[in-house]
Amino acid sequence: LFNAHLKDMPFGGTLRFGFKSEPEDLNPIRGQWVWDWYVLQEIYEGVPYAVDPYTLEDIPWTATWKTEPWEYAPGKKGMKITYKLAENMTFHDGVPVTAEDVKFTYEFFMKYQPPRYLPVIEKLVKVEAPDKYTVVLYCNVSSYLLLHTIYTIILPKHIWEKVGEKTVEIVEKLLGY
């Protein structure tokens, strides 16, 4: 929807988007219904690539990336994915998106394991943020398809970390434990 506009207007206007039913849960940790995610995907970004509609190839969107092998245990090979984030991204409140936000998000999901994100984190061993715009993911498998399953939304650390000591209680309540 990023480039949606009226045919005779380059920018502005109102976009009316029909839904078959109302969204049920607009919490990005719990939201499961397709109609929830039609809304949430306009709020939360995270996909590092887009698909070129003409060639169907992955092209950089929020980051560029490179992959390389790494050994996560003696004799066991996995994949290391290094993302270089776009430096002009901000959250809706104007705060810049950094590698610390991405690292925080993955570590949050690894710690609390919300069911929706288990396919994202099940192959993830650790995450590093060596500088403001670089994120390194260390995975215990090696596959091109991993690039398409390891990405996730980016939670704004400056908002989500404020949950503080109540994180476990709140996450458990959100997930219905």
Side-chain angles (χ1 to χ4, degrees), residues 65-69 79-83 142-144 146-147:
W65 62 91
K66 73 175 184 174
T67 62
E68 56 191 306
M79 185 187 310
K80 176 176 148 182
I81 305 170
T82 303
Y83 291 111
S142 184
S143 167
Y144 176 77
L146 193 56
L147 285 172

Side-chain angles (χ1 to χ4, degrees), residues 12-80:
T14 300
L15 174 66
R16 298 191 192 287
F17 191 81
F19 282 76
K20 187 174 180 176
S21 71
E22 291 290 319
E24 294 178 6
D25 194 338
L26 294 179
N27 182 302
I29 304 298
R30 289 187 316 223
Q32 296 293 324
W33 187 235
V34 67
W35 307 108
D36 300 343
W37 279 96
Y38 270 121
V39 175
L40 288 168
Q41 73 186 3
E42 300 305 320
I43 299 170
Y44 291 94
E45 183 65 79
V47 180
Y49 61 86
V51 176
D52 183 311
Y54 301 106
T55 65
L56 302 180
E57 293 180 18
D58 296 338
I59 56 175
W61 182 250
T62 60
T64 57
W65 62 91
K66 73 175 184 174
T67 62
E68 56 191 306
W70 81 289
E71 197 170 280
Y72 65 92
K76 298 192 178 197
K77 300 215 183 270
M79 185 187 310
K80 176 176 148 182

